[in-house]
Amino acid sequence: MIRSESQDEALVVYGAGDHGLVVAEAAVAAGLRLAGFIDDGAVAKPWSLPAPFLGPLAGAKAAGHAGLIVAIGDNATRARALAAAATAWTLVSVV
């Protein structure tokens, strides 16, 4: 498990929907810090997220973050997101 002391080393959640919110809650409960959420689709209520909405994956910067949690419920979409993110991000999971 990664533990982050500063916001610069906080995790980014890829998926700003309901599944992403649940994963973010689990991350916070595990003692992790959130830098924000990224999502390639439309986010209905970005103001309701517990951390800033950072935009799509293509515009997000991996540098300065402890890693990325892919929090997309649909298996096929999650597999594509993992493949797209793996080249630039350190992928982490929350259990």
Side-chain angles (χ1 to χ4, degrees), residues 29-67:
L32 303 172
R33 295 175 55 93
L34 298 178
F37 290 80
I38 59 175
D39 199 303
D40 295 330
V43 177
K45 300 176 187 174
W47 60 88
S48 69
L49 299 172
F53 178 65
L54 305 173
L57 176 66
K61 304 288 186 224
H65 296 107

Side-chain angles (χ1 to χ4, degrees), residues 57-72:
L57 176 66
K61 304 288 186 224
H65 296 107
L68 181 76
I69 302 171
V70 177
I72 298 171

Side-chain angles (χ1 to χ4, degrees), residues 14 40 57 68 70-72 75-86 91:
Y14 188 179
D40 295 330
L57 176 66
L68 181 76
V70 177
I72 298 171
N75 290 335
T77 304
R78 183 173 56 248
R80 287 191 303 273
L82 283 165
L91 300 176

